[in-house]
């Protein structure tokens, strides 16, 4: 009896998580899926996207995020990203938390990151719309941090490339800097 009850509870939890993850999804007139990530769907949809990127290819995606600039510790390559902060385990495990988001490919100018190492929401916030370019992960080597101090240990975080069609700098007041389940 306990086993059956556990299975039912597990099924209901998975069903609820799936419904929440896709509540930001709609289908446009062109038949393409549209994902509008908001405060309640950001983490769930992004987490799902990290594991199942193929289902998001060709879909229109829009979201609010902050600009995050990262340099690969091995190659020196610079990346401009659109991210939110989240629990460790979704990207790197170099501390208690990490970032979740995209490498931004944009033909225009991406505003410079502001206060990206500060643990607060005073960032350069943007609203972007576009699409996932491919299901191939881009691995970026970063220095690990311990107790707020950079160490010599190198870990990898990964992102997908996001083709930005529109980008607008926005006021991030009221947006959650840190997103989680």
């Amino acid at each position: 009896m306990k086993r059956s009850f556990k299975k039912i509870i597990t099924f209901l939890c998975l069903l609820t998580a799936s419904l929440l993850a896709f509540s930001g999804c709609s289908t446009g007139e062109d038949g393409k899926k549209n994902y509008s990530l908001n405060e309640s769907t950001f983490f769930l949809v992004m987490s799902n996207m990290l594991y199942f990127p193929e289902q998001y290819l060709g879909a229109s995606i829009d979201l609010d995020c902050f600009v995050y600039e990262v340099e690969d510790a091995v190659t020196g390559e610079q990346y401009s990203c659109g991210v939110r902060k989240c629990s460790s385990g979704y990207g790197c495990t170099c501390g208690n938390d990490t970032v979740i988001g995209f490498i931004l490919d944009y033909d225009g100018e991406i505003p410079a990151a502001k206060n990206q190492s500060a643990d607060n929401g005073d960032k350069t916030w943007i609203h972007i719309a576009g699409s996932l370019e491919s299901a191939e992960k881009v691995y970026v080597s970063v220095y690990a941090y311990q107790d707020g101090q950079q160490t010599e240990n190198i870990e990898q975080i990964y992102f997908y490339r996001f083709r930005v069609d529109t980008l607008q700098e926005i006021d991030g007041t009221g947006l959650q800097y840190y997103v989680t389940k």
Side-chain angles (χ1 to χ4, degrees), residues 55-71:
Q55 74 186 43
Y56 297 91
L57 294 175
S60 297
I61 303 168
D62 71 279
L63 61 138
D64 296 330
C65 53
F66 61 87
V67 178
Y68 188 78
E69 295 168 353
V70 64
E71 179 179 344

Side-chain angles (χ1 to χ4, degrees), residues 107-129:
D107 293 335
E109 187 175 325
I110 298 172
K114 179 175 97 174
N115 298 325
Q116 78 176 32
S117 60
D119 202 14
N120 62 48
D122 186 21
K123 311 286 183 206
T124 303
W125 287 91
I126 55 176
H127 179 81
I128 56 175

